[in-house]
Amino acid sequence: MTTPSSRPSDDMTEGPSDAHPPDTHPAPARPPLVTRPLLLRFLTVIGASAGFFLLLSVVPLYAQRSGGNAGLATGALMFATVVGELATPRLVARYGYRVALAVGLVLLGAPALVLTAGHGMVWITVVCLLRGLGFALTVVAGGALTASLIPPERRGEGLALVGIVSGVPSLVALPSGVWLARHVGFTPVCVAGGVAALAVVVVVPGLPGRERSAGRDAGLVAGLRTGALARPALVFATTALGAGIIVTFLPVAVPASLSGLVAVALFAQPAMATVARWYAGRFGDRHGPGRLVLPGLLASSAGLLVTAVTSSPVAVLAGVALFGVGFGVTQNATLTLMYARVRESGYGTVSALWNIAYDGGMGLGALGFGAAAARTGYPAAFALTAAVMLVAVAPAWRDR
């Protein structure tokens, strides 16, 4: 009996019938990931991200300095964003990617140029509403367009790369906006944010106008009724609860003596999420994104639980870093999974559902956590939220 170690090698044949001709048809090369249209799309991503995050904390600060309500400014922005995300798939279906994206960039940028022309809360709220609608158009129409530009077999890696392209400007712009507003004034920062979004409108004509495949977008209602889309959206919304909580309440939850820790922690969380998105994308392309949904959810919940020890610098840093890993994995896995389950004509619906889950989850997380913390204190509220997030284990398990 021939053992594996004694089996003749492929070039040690005994006759013509045993010959194994060399493989003359090597495996086809993987399709290129970065193409000219995708590079143009990256420019619009950078412009929209910089324009949005440069003013995200500056506008509430300006409202407060003007005697207004900082919370109302942010609330108006997010309300308009969610409303815009609901309407954008229909607009894309009717007018195409280019028109929706260009209008979004204009609405995001132009109002920022004139923000400081008025000081009343009504004026500031109107500007925030217009910018929220613009941001919704850019993320939903742009997200669907991005998915259409990435080869399906490299979608996870491509979406992770887009996440890095959008994440780096946000990491730089968010703290820079506040610093610049305090040192050079609000008007230069607002003008810079407006110009960042408007400058990239010139590259939009180089992007595809409509999806390449036939078919009609089923719409958001049908998407919500489809378990294959609703389940990953629900899981992602659950992890987004934690993102809204960390950004909003970590600065006030840690003791005043650890205030220097907050800046490091708020940088560590999105930084870890960005790195995790990249590795999750590469893993998902090779082994399937469905395998990552549950681990991402569990890591996010565990991260919040560790963060509950707000008196410990090590626990806070470790907690937000672990949450960032889980959140980044869930971001990539859920979005990749949802795009894989629809035809190209459904990319608009997927982009809208996912972004609504993102923004809605962050908003609900901040609201619910604030109410809970008022009764239980911050550490208990963190632990309670970590437990609540485990409700999404059922849909996450279903999508393994």
Side-chain angles (χ1 to χ4, degrees):
M1 183 174 65
T2 305
T3 63
S5 59
S6 62
R7 190 181 63 181
S9 61
D10 288 343
D11 58 346
M12 295 173 62
T13 57
E14 296 178 357
S17 62
D18 296 321
H20 296 282
D23 186 0
T24 58
H25 302 284
R30 301 175 74 195
L33 179 60
V34 179
T35 58
R36 182 178 181 276
L38 189 59
L39 285 174
L40 294 178
R41 171 62 186 139
F42 283 168
L43 292 177
T44 65
V45 169
I46 293 170
S49 183
F52 181 78
F53 285 100
L54 196 62
L55 302 185
L56 184 58
S57 295
V58 169
V59 175
L61 184 61
Y62 178 72
Q64 189 175 30
R65 296 282 180 88
S66 302
N69 189 319
L72 179 59
T74 301
L77 179 72
M78 299 313 298
F79 172 77
T81 299
V82 172
V83 171
E85 287 167 349
L86 291 170
T88 299
R90 296 291 183 186
L91 295 176
V92 170
R94 183 168 182 177
Y95 299 106
Y97 295 130
R98 283 198 298 259
V99 172
L101 182 56
V103 171
L105 290 168
V106 171
L107 287 176
L108 181 62
L113 298 178
V114 298
L115 173 65
T116 55
H119 298 278
M121 199 60 216
V122 174
W123 174 261
I124 295 172
T125 301
V126 170
V127 169
C128 290
L129 289 172
L130 291 174
R131 296 190 73 242
L133 290 174
F135 186 63
L137 285 165
T138 62
V139 296
V140 175
L145 172 59
T146 300
S148 72
L149 298 175
I150 298 173
E153 56 268 51
R154 302 189 69 179
R155 183 174 288 130
E157 185 180 359
L159 292 175
L161 182 59
V162 176
I164 293 173
V165 171
S166 64
V168 171
S170 67
L171 285 173
V172 175
L174 188 59
S176 297
V178 176
W179 187 90
L180 289 170
R182 289 173 175 169
H183 289 81
V184 302
F186 289 103
T187 299
V189 180
C190 292
V191 171
V195 170
L198 293 173
V200 295
V201 175
V202 297
V203 308
V204 173
L207 296 169
R210 295 183 181 274
E211 67 269 8
R212 296 184 295 270
S213 64
R216 184 172 179 269
D217 192 341
L220 282 173
V221 175
L224 288 171
R225 291 175 177 173
T226 304
L229 298 182
R231 285 191 301 269
L234 176 61
V235 174
F236 181 55
T238 304
T239 59
L241 294 174
I245 290 167
I246 289 175
V247 171
T248 306
F249 289 100
L250 191 66
V252 296
V254 300
S257 59
L258 301 178
S259 58
L261 175 70
V262 174
V264 179
L266 291 180
F267 178 82
Q269 187 264 314
M272 294 301 294
T274 301
V275 173
R277 285 188 74 172
W278 172 255
Y279 283 103
R282 292 179 63 85
F283 180 92
D285 285 342
R286 290 161 174 77
H287 307 287
R291 298 185 179 188
L292 295 172
V293 175
L294 181 59
L297 172 64
L298 294 177
S300 300
S301 176
L304 275 190
L305 184 61
V306 174
T307 307
V309 190
T310 55
S311 60
S312 169
V314 174
V316 170
L317 281 178
V320 297
L322 179 58
F323 174 84
V325 171
F327 187 59
V329 168
T330 311
Q331 275 184 304
N332 187 277
T334 54
L335 185 58
T336 305
L337 199 60
M338 292 169 71
Y339 277 131
R341 291 175 172 177
V342 298
R343 295 177 297 182
E344 190 172 336
S345 59
Y347 286 176
T349 293
V350 167
S351 182
L353 281 175
W354 190 85
N355 280 287
I356 289 171
Y358 197 163
D359 298 325
M362 288 186 68
L364 288 175
L367 279 173
F369 186 89
R375 298 188 177 189
T376 66
Y378 292 116
F382 273 111
L384 179 62
T385 305
V388 169
M389 288 174 62
L390 295 179
V391 173
V393 166
W397 182 270
R398 175 68 177 81
D399 271 324
R400 291 181 69 228

